[in-house]
């Protein structure tokens, strides 16, 4: 059986990584997304954007995968599992998932904003997220930026193509911990449904996708995912009977 998992910030929330859009603890409740996650924001204040990503880089290094990440990795014992993640953390990999495609980049990769060269040099210690820190400079004079996909930027071709392939060839898609509003990632469950692939959403809150998926599991990732696979045939049967 082939399983495609689309994950978002919610799966890492229980590890202590804030989500983006939750009312109180979400990053966007405290910080302006278009200032910190756009090329325009970068060009107008690279020191502020750099401090924010440096803070998140260090934060993620200090946290550990949770039972949700571990359950997805454990599914590999029974199925061919491909993880498509919007997350820029490495918690799926650290939990043991081997096929992981990052649609929005990584907090652990850096490149020059002028010549695109990768950067593996030293990084400053963890700052306060709202401070300003000078980004390192490339030999070409450009500034080193996080290798993250900001609003208005194209997703990397390789991970995107591999994700589409995983979704269209899956027998089952699990969508976990995403508000499903950021495109093109949010289009992947719709693509699965259009190909007849059953889609199961795991999220304590409803999303724009909830009405269209095959089954909604209204629980947190760490409580739902460990028990999900053995229950799925019965849950899907019940969901289909309800719709018929
Ligand atoms: C739990 C839980 C628990 C909590 N267990 N669950 C109009 C229409 C359509 C598209 C567009 C449009 N205008 C602009 C666009 C394009 C734009 C877009 O989609 N914007 C929308 C917001 C409208 N997309 C782009 O720009 C993308 N590029 C692109 O389209 O290129 C082509 C193009 C080029 C030029 C012009 C136009 C198009 C790029 C998108 C890049 C996204 N980048 C970010 C930030 C950078 C990464 C970073 O800093 O980390 O990526 S935005 C942010 O949102 C981040 C996330 O990956 C992404 C998705 O968020 P996610 O993961 O869903 O998190 P939340 O917080 O939203 O939701 C958490 C969920 O978890 C909630 O539902 C909770 O209930 C749940 N939860 N605890 C399970 N324990
Ligand atoms: Zn350069």
């Amino acid at each position: 059986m082939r399983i495609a998992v689309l994950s978002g910030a919610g799966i890492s929330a229980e590890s202590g990584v804030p989500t983006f859009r939750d009312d109180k603890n979400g990053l966007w409740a405290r910080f302006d997304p278009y200032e910190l996650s756009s090329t325009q924001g970068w060009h107008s204040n690279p020191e502020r954007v750099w401090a924010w990503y440096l803070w998140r880089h260090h934060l993620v290094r200090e946290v550990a995968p949770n039972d949700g990440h571990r359950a997805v990795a454990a599914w590999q014992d029974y199925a061919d599992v491909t993880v498509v993640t919007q997350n820029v953390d490495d918690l799926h990999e650290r939990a043991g998932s081997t096929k992981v495609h990052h649609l929005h980049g990584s907090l652990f990769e850096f490149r020059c904003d002028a010549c695109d060269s990768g950067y593996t040099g030293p990084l400053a210690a963890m700052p306060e997220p709202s401070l300003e820190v000078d980004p390192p400079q490339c030999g070409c004079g450009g500034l080193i930026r996080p290798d993250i996909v900001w609003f208005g930027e194209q997703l990397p071709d390789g991970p995107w193509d591999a994700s589409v392939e995983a979704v269209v060839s899956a027998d089952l898609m699990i969508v976990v911990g995403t508000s499903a509003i950021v495109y093109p990632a949010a289009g992947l469950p719709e693509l699965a449904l259009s190909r007849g692939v059953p889609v199961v959403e795991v999220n304590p809150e409803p999303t724009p996708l909830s009405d269209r998926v095959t089954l909604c599991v209204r629980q947190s990732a760490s409580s739902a995912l460990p028990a999900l696979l053995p229950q799925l045939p019965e849950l899907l049967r019940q969901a289909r009977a309800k719709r018929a």
Side-chain angles (χ1 to χ4, degrees), residues 72-93:
V72 171
W75 294 345
Q76 292 171 145
D77 292 344
Y78 315 99
D80 178 358
V81 182
T82 303
V83 178
V84 175
T85 188
Q86 299 166 85
N87 298 344
V88 295
D89 65 48
D90 59 351
L91 296 178
H92 280 296
E93 288 92 334

Side-chain angles (χ1 to χ4, degrees), residues 8-10 13-14 19-22 28 37 52-53 56 86-88 104 148-155 177-184 202-205 207 219-221:
E14 290 165 285
T19 61
F20 294 93
R21 297 175 181 80
D22 287 337
W28 296 157
S37 291
W52 193 64
Y53 277 98
R56 290 175 60 211
Q86 299 166 85
N87 298 344
V88 295
H104 294 165
I148 299 254
V149 182
W150 287 326
F151 286 115
E153 293 185 328
Q154 297 287 347
L155 274 59
T178 177
S179 55
I181 59 170
V182 175
Y183 280 81
V202 176
N203 196 317
E205 302 294 333
T207 74
Q219 289 174 29
S220 76

Side-chain angles (χ1 to χ4, degrees), residues 112 115 138 140:
C112 172
C115 74
C138 178
C140 81

Side-chain angles (χ1 to χ4, degrees), residues 206-239:
T207 74
L209 204 61
S210 302
D211 285 343
R212 300 206 289 281
V213 295
T214 321
L215 172 71
C216 289
V217 179
R218 290 259 165 273
Q219 289 174 29
S220 76
S222 74
S223 46
L225 296 180
L228 190 64
L229 275 204
Q231 296 172 352
L232 260 191
E234 177 57 16
L235 290 172
L236 286 170
R237 195 190 60 73
Q238 287 172 7

